[in-house]
Amino acid sequence: MKQVRLRDGYRIFQQKDGLGLTQDSVLLADFCSLRPGERAIELGCGQGGLWVLTLLKHPGATLDALELDPVSLEQARENAARCGLSERGQFFQGDAADFRPAGFHYDVCLSNPPYAIPGPPSPDERRRLARSGAPEPFFQGIKGMLGQKGRFYFCWPARHFFRAAELLQENGFSPRQVRFVHGKPGEEAQLALVMARRGLGESQILPPLVLRDEMGEYTQEYRRIHGVMEEE
């Protein structure tokens, strides 16, 4: 079990197998915006790291969570209780491809989907499960659970961004805000942070987020966002 210390004294625990909190999720939690009173859900919450960070950033918000792996889901529930956040959302076991809320649509969907991760299959069985699905049913599922004026926040490898844009278009969405993340000035983008809505609309390309300066030191903005350190 690995302990992760967050800002303001909050801590979560993560099992070493399964998908845990990543840098991408930390950046996504800072990028997304939740308003008080909105119905929101995280799809594929893993062990709850992104869920906790998002609620800590938005004190007046609530956020449900959906996870296919029952072991990760139970760890997410424990982390929610540990941080005193259990009353700020419900946890569901299921697949985003066919999950539908009962009698309403969500205002916001949030996800760090694992589908675009390149490379050989993971030796970890639970990681393989998380990455075994195809992205097409996932994006189709978003269409069924998000309201007409809803927002979908997600991150995606920058070099595969146009594939994400295609998947959005195929399901009636378009990217409305995009922020590319670069390791250093002048390097190609590593990650795209995206907010999408239904229908067509102009895409706002936000100023890039650069993680390190020319000397290899963390930038001031990244220091503000990150604030997470791991302990064994």
Side-chain angles (χ1 to χ4, degrees), residues 2-14 21-23 26 53 218 222-223 225-232:
K2 182 166 57 178
Q3 183 179 198
V4 181
R5 187 169 65 193
L6 310 177
R7 283 196 181 100
D8 302 322
Y10 290 95
R11 298 170 185 265
I12 62 173
F13 287 84
Q14 298 183 145
L21 180 64
T22 65
Q23 175 180 270
V26 173
L53 283 178
Y218 288 136
Y222 183 61
R223 290 178 185 275
I225 293 171
H226 198 258
V228 175
M229 69 182 226
E230 295 182 354
E231 300 173 342
E232 295 295 334

Side-chain angles (χ1 to χ4, degrees), residues 25-225:
S25 291
V26 173
L27 299 177
L28 181 60
D30 185 76
F31 175 73
C32 76
S33 178
L34 303 182
R35 301 165 190 149
E38 289 187 318
R39 292 179 181 262
I41 186 169
E42 181 191 352
L43 306 175
C45 70
Q47 300 183 58
L50 172 57
W51 187 89
V52 168
L53 283 178
T54 302
L55 287 180
L56 291 180
K57 183 196 171 192
H58 301 90
T62 59
L63 181 63
D64 292 341
L66 179 71
E67 173 57 45
L68 182 61
D69 175 26
V71 178
S72 292
L73 184 63
E74 182 58 31
Q75 188 63 46
R77 287 194 177 105
E78 291 179 7
N79 282 324
R82 182 174 291 109
C83 294
L85 300 171
S86 297
E87 300 302 315
R88 293 180 59 189
Q90 300 183 68
F91 289 84
F92 303 100
Q93 183 181 354
D95 192 330
D98 52 29
F99 176 79
R100 297 293 180 272
F104 68 93
H105 290 90
Y106 282 102
D107 301 301
V108 176
C109 289
L110 169 70
S111 185
N112 178 4
Y115 305 112
I117 297 176
S122 171
D124 184 306
E125 181 178 355
R126 289 167 58 205
R127 290 174 185 264
R128 284 199 308 274
L129 172 66
R131 297 172 181 171
S132 63
E136 290 81 3
F138 174 82
F139 278 81
Q140 291 167 7
I142 300 292
K143 181 169 59 175
M145 68 180 79
L146 194 62
Q148 286 297 321
K149 296 183 178 180
R151 306 185 306 284
F152 174 32
Y153 293 94
F154 68 101
C155 56
W156 200 263
R159 64 180 57 188
H160 301 295
F161 170 72
F162 288 106
R163 176 55 181 149
E166 288 176 352
L167 290 165
L168 288 170
Q169 184 178 25
E170 289 168 3
N171 290 282
F173 292 85
S174 61
R176 302 301 180 86
Q177 286 187 337
V178 182
R179 190 176 196 193
F180 290 103
V181 180
H182 301 256
K184 286 184 178 181
E187 292 185 350
E188 69 176 51
Q190 303 172 350
L191 187 72
L193 300 167
V194 185
M195 187 275 283
R197 290 182 183 271
R198 291 183 185 273
L200 298 176
E202 293 183 353
S203 295
Q204 180 185 17
I205 307 301
L206 300 174
L209 169 59
V210 181
L211 306 184
R212 294 177 183 267
D213 61 22
E214 294 87 345
M215 302 300 294
E217 299 293 330
Y218 288 136
T219 61
Q220 183 175 356
E221 183 174 19
Y222 183 61
R223 290 178 185 275
R224 175 190 65 77
I225 293 171

